[in-house]
Amino acid sequence: MKFKQFATILESLEKSSSRNEMTEILAGFLQKLEPDEIKPVMYMLTGRIAPRFIPLEFNFSTKLLLRAIEKASGKGILEIETLMAKKGDIGLVASEIKSQMPQKQEELSIGEVFQLLFELASLEGVGSQTAKIEVFERLFKGADPLSIKYVARMIVGKLRLGLNDKTILDSLSWAGFSDKSYRGQLDYAYGVRADIGDIAELVLQRKFKKLERIMVEPGTPVASKLVEREKSVEAVFERIPESIVQPKYDGLRLQIHYSRAGFDDIHQVHQNQAIGQKPPSLQFDLGKTESRKRDIVRIFSRNMEPLTDMFPDVVAEVEKKEDELPGSFVLDAEAIGTDPETGKYIPFQETIQRKRKYGIKEKSQSVPVKVYVFDILYLGKEDISQKPLLSRLDALKDLIKKNFSSSRILKLSESNELKDLKTLQKYFAKYLEDGLEGLIAKNPQSKYLPGTRNYDWIKLKANIDSKLIDTIDAVVLGYYHGRGARAKHGVGAFLVGVYNEKTEKFETIAKVGSGIKDEDWEGIMERIKGLEIEKIPENAEVKKELMPDVILRPEIVVVVEADEISKSKLHTAGQDKDGVGYSLRFPRLKEWDRADKDPEDVTKVSEVEKLLVN
Ligand code: ATP
């Protein structure tokens, strides 16, 4: 199929503001794809050429793209830059310039565009900028004005179709089964194997049996199992009288995948696929696979993004044992920073500082981590995620004892089988004394159900001066200009929202201005740059009275602490027929930018009510 047909669909999706309509448009298109076009299309829909968990980026700045357009079109850079200043969108610029060129009949196919984009992303190192410009030239020459608009946006990471995983899964259900009834099944399958290309292939090629029996596959992230909350030791005990209790470490969730044989290299995968024949004139050497290091350890975050590069020490620890380890495994764990001098745990924020791209090596020395492994989903050649927790923990104990008993990094999480309330109380008190966040009680018979939040796992935290049992994760929807001390940054307070699963919208719950430290402002202002939008997006609900001075694309997730939940006519969170919604009393910002959470992962309206102690 020609890429132009895909571009027409992208345009319809961009123009549509109704989720149902988007689902319909996409489902109809997906049904028409050839088998070898499925994966390329699925990845390109997300603005990428690989699943989200593979760190393969274009690394192409807008500035470089302007130069590439200059070279490809022969127009003067001044003219192009003026157009950019006028349009403010690189896609529109590329498209307009292309429409001024003589049009060719021969247009690139989906496979060819994908191949060229893949080549572009694969170029790295000395001379790669020139080579990237040359690949773009070929895209520009072979694409029509509409196609180049989307290609250009994709390359600079600004495709932004307003399409989320949910809509994509709905479309797959429609494309494969003519209704939404398979959404539950698809959610599960996507949770077990978070590769949208894989799932789409199974559905669209009608391999339904395989879909039903989908297994964990080392190398591909599994949606993390989530935990419910309870307000007291008694309440936890009532829910799970016989439980396995583990400490609740306040760190960063890590899913550690290992395969002695090595994971399929994405470069090999794509080259082996018949995604259109490699054009004969392809001049750049993609064969870097030989020099590329064999990929045997992969680490993913809670929202299934790659974290491997952030934890070289953990990778090395596993690699060191390569010869003795079983064929493969998948572990669920929490990384927590420790102070090298005192050996004490340090807060989550400092642990996450490692995420900074630079200085990872130095940071891993100044903030050494310990990784507490609390579950195992795959061992040897077997998916054991559906075995009861008790037997998974036996397998885990074995693995760690045999291979990592002397490790200073990889540790087995403590697990205690408890049957009475008193002992549960004792452990809770002890964990708090040890500087931990609280406990997690787990049902010994429970299976690992990816991405689900239910009472199989319950967290209990100490809530010192709040009537709420937990903090709230919220998405930033905009800000107000401030007065007084904060005015120098131009921000007085942020408007934040939670997610309503019924209305499928972000709804406002608080205006939060306190809790921000002076030294954090620079990073905050940097992060919100470029997220400004003109009006409240379709997926958010804000009352006129609370309209922020600057509206932001719902992207940044923050953690908010509050004293209580009250009701307010100003807020839309879970509002009743009289327009009264939930609001937070005395909200303060506890953490800015939880990068390991996606906006849809914020606290749900249905959870808000349950947060009150009484
Ligand atoms: P959630 O993940 O529930 O949306 P959150 O990210 O704000 O919320 P918490 O409220 O801190 O996290 O509680 C759940 C998290 O606790 C898990 O995602 C995991 O990162 C962490 N955790 C720490 N210790 C354990 C443990 N023993 N078992 C499971 N999770 C643990």
Side-chain angles (χ1 to χ4, degrees):
M1 193 190 286
K2 295 287 177 210
F3 188 86
K4 191 177 178 181
Q5 280 169 271
F6 181 37
T8 314
I9 294 298
L10 294 176
E11 189 182 37
S12 315
L13 291 172
E14 188 191 351
K15 283 192 179 145
S16 170
S17 54
S18 137
R19 239 191 85 185
N20 284 341
E21 192 182 67
M22 287 174 115
T23 307
E24 229 170 87
I25 296 170
L26 193 54
F29 174 69
L30 295 179
Q31 282 168 329
K32 294 190 203 124
L33 294 176
E34 294 296 329
D36 58 8
E37 290 166 341
I38 299 172
K39 277 192 172 175
V41 162
M42 295 318 287
Y43 301 143
M44 285 192 285
L45 275 173
T46 61
R48 308 192 75 239
I49 30 128
R52 272 213 302 183
F53 61 88
I54 299 285
L56 185 62
E57 311 297 338
F58 294 116
N59 291 325
F60 214 107
S61 66
T62 303
K63 210 167 141 208
L64 185 64
L65 191 46
L66 290 173
R67 270 178 45 210
I69 297 173
E70 176 197 7
K71 180 118 194 302
S73 67
K75 300 252 175 195
I77 189 76
L78 213 69
E79 182 184 344
I80 299 169
E81 281 175 352
T82 313
L83 196 60
M84 182 65 196
K86 198 169 126 205
K87 302 255 178 205
D89 172 348
I90 192 76
L92 296 179
V93 172
S95 181
E96 180 151 338
I97 304 257
K98 177 69 198 189
S99 66
Q100 296 164 7
M101 320 292 295
Q103 304 300 313
K104 256 196 345 185
Q105 283 314 305
E106 266 305 292
E107 278 156 5
L108 293 171
S109 68
I110 288 180
E112 284 163 338
V113 170
F114 185 74
Q115 182 71 41
L116 285 165
L117 286 174
F118 181 64
E119 185 177 345
L120 200 144
S122 305
L123 291 163
E124 50 192 33
V126 188
S128 63
Q129 286 216 348
T130 319
K132 279 183 187 214
I133 290 180
E134 282 177 42
V135 178
F136 177 78
E137 235 182 301
R138 301 184 30 205
L139 283 160
F140 188 84
K141 295 224 160 96
D144 62 291
L146 187 66
S147 299
I148 203 68
K149 168 168 137 187
Y150 292 104
V151 166
R153 285 185 186 164
M154 228 182 270
I155 293 176
V156 296
K158 292 203 171 124
L159 186 61
R160 291 188 182 145
L161 296 171
L163 199 65
N164 57 23
D165 284 355
K166 280 188 177 167
T167 314
I168 296 184
L169 290 171
D170 271 346
S171 313
L172 280 176
S173 181
W174 270 98
F177 311 96
S178 308
D179 58 30
K180 270 194 193 179
S181 60
Y182 252 71
R183 248 312 288 281
Q185 192 121 357
L186 286 176
D187 274 345
Y188 177 75
Y190 186 53
V192 176
R193 194 176 304 169
D195 182 338
I196 199 71
D198 261 3
I199 304 293
E201 269 189 358
L202 293 178
V203 175
L204 299 172
Q205 296 183 4
R206 316 196 77 74
K207 294 182 183 159
F208 302 136
K209 278 260 153 17
K210 275 197 175 170
L211 190 69
E212 278 159 22
R213 283 190 257 111
I214 197 150
M215 298 275 179
V216 171
E217 184 174 83
T220 304
V222 181
S224 291
K225 160 120 191 72
L226 304 176
V227 305
E228 262 297 352
R229 339 168 151 77
E230 260 311 350
K231 28 181 160 296
S232 63
V233 182
E234 290 76 12
V236 172
F237 183 71
E238 206 169 296
R239 294 249 183 217
I240 323 180
E242 290 186 21
S243 63
I244 291 177
V245 168
Q246 297 176 332
K248 182 173 190 313
Y249 305 99
D250 183 18
L252 184 66
R253 184 109 176 227
L254 300 189
Q255 200 174 87
I256 305 170
H257 291 231
Y258 164 78
S259 161
R260 193 188 310 155
F263 301 115
D264 282 347
D265 184 296
I266 189 78
H267 295 77
Q268 280 164 351
V269 173
H270 283 327
Q271 277 177 49
N272 295 343
Q273 274 213 350
I275 39 171
Q277 280 307 303
K278 200 166 157 180
S281 57
L282 210 62
Q283 343 161 2
F284 306 109
D285 177 24
L286 288 179
K288 287 199 198 102
T289 25
E290 273 164 46
S291 58
R292 200 168 278 124
K293 206 163 157 277
R294 202 161 58 93
D295 176 19
I296 61 170
V297 181
R298 283 185 184 170
I299 303 179
F300 304 109
S301 67
R302 180 192 181 286
N303 57 347
M304 299 175 278
E305 303 231 337
L307 285 182
T308 319
D309 290 346
M310 195 174 145
F311 291 95
D313 38 356
V314 180
V315 174
E317 195 73 358
V318 178
E319 282 179 344
K320 217 160 65 184
K321 295 280 172 174
E322 192 185 338
D323 296 333
E324 295 137 54
L325 289 171
S328 37
F329 58 68
V330 176
L331 308 176
D332 200 356
E334 186 89 352
I336 181 164
T338 49
D339 183 322
E341 274 165 30
T342 61
K344 286 220 163 102
Y345 300 129
I346 59 165
F348 173 79
Q349 275 299 314
E350 277 175 52
T351 310
I352 206 157
Q353 268 187 25
R354 279 182 165 226
K355 204 169 175 178
R356 291 182 324 176
K357 269 213 168 121
Y358 304 100
I360 284 171
K361 277 259 157 66
E362 297 87 82
K363 208 75 198 167
S364 53
Q365 272 143 29
S366 65
V367 184
V369 291
K370 289 200 192 316
V371 177
Y372 287 94
V373 187
F374 54 75
D375 212 329
I376 181 163
L377 315 183
Y378 194 99
L379 182 63
K381 287 185 178 158
E382 201 189 345
D383 174 351
I384 57 169
S385 64
Q386 300 309 295
K387 292 198 167 166
L389 175 64
L390 209 56
S391 75
R392 295 203 304 276
L393 286 178
D394 280 344
L396 176 64
K397 211 182 293 170
D398 243 32
L399 176 79
I400 303 280
K401 281 215 166 124
K402 264 195 205 128
N403 302 286
F404 300 104
S405 58
S406 57
S407 171
R408 298 169 72 135
I409 297 178
L410 277 173
K411 305 266 176 204
L412 179 69
S413 157
E414 181 182 312
S415 296
N416 301 292
E417 283 180 60
L418 303 188
K419 291 195 169 97
D420 66 290
L421 180 64
K422 262 217 169 110
T423 328
L424 190 64
Q425 272 160 341
K426 202 183 83 193
Y427 274 105
F428 185 51
K430 177 182 172 297
Y431 292 154
L432 294 185
E433 216 164 278
D434 290 350
L436 291 154
E437 234 192 337
L439 62 74
I440 304 217
K442 301 182 177 179
N443 179 343
Q445 299 310 322
S446 60
K447 299 172 178 177
Y448 194 100
L449 293 180
T452 57
R453 192 191 295 281
N454 59 26
Y455 288 99
D456 280 344
W457 290 15
I458 309 174
K459 66 181 167 193
L460 180 64
K461 293 197 209 173
N463 42 313
I464 303 141
D465 26 67
S466 161
K467 282 196 180 153
L468 301 183
I469 55 175
D470 203 0
T471 48
I472 282 166
D473 297 325
V475 70
V476 179
L477 296 168
Y479 64 84
Y480 308 90
H481 295 306
R483 262 184 251 128
R486 285 186 225 120
K488 65 173 185 247
H489 306 287
V491 179
F494 289 102
L495 178 67
V496 301
V498 287
Y499 190 70
N500 191 335
E501 282 169 310
K502 284 195 198 130
T503 59
E504 297 185 339
K505 287 186 182 209
F506 296 110
E507 299 178 343
T508 72
I509 193 157
K511 241 170 108 171
V512 49
S514 68
I516 304 168
K517 291 192 215 86
D518 267 355
E519 63 264 31
D520 295 338
W521 275 109
E522 203 182 317
I524 290 179
M525 298 317 287
E526 189 55 36
R527 179 68 178 91
I528 58 184
K529 230 192 318 185
L531 292 182
E532 301 87 356
I533 46 177
E534 305 229 315
K535 55 181 189 25
I536 296 291
E538 290 291 331
N539 62 347
E541 185 86 40
V542 177
K543 291 212 173 145
K544 268 206 295 302
E545 301 89 311
L546 272 188
M547 201 50 68
D549 295 326
V550 178
I551 303 170
L552 297 175
R553 188 188 305 283
E555 204 178 284
I556 307 168
V557 177
V558 294
V559 181
V560 182
E561 204 172 35
D563 279 6
E564 233 182 309
I565 289 164
S566 49
K567 293 273 189 153
S568 158
K569 270 208 139 176
L570 288 174
H571 286 290
T572 50
Q575 60 182 328
D576 57 21
K577 58 182 187 336
D578 301 321
V580 180
Y582 293 114
S583 79
L584 299 182
R585 254 172 85 80
F586 302 121
R588 50 227 176 242
L589 205 67
K590 196 161 170 247
E591 270 173 49
W592 168 260
D593 194 13
R594 276 220 42 189
D596 65 333
K597 286 204 171 179
D598 295 331
E600 286 79 19
D601 294 337
V602 296
T603 305
K604 311 283 176 293
V605 166
S606 57
E607 293 175 80
V608 170
E609 255 183 336
K610 294 202 276 183
L611 290 176
L612 272 169
V613 177
N614 293 307

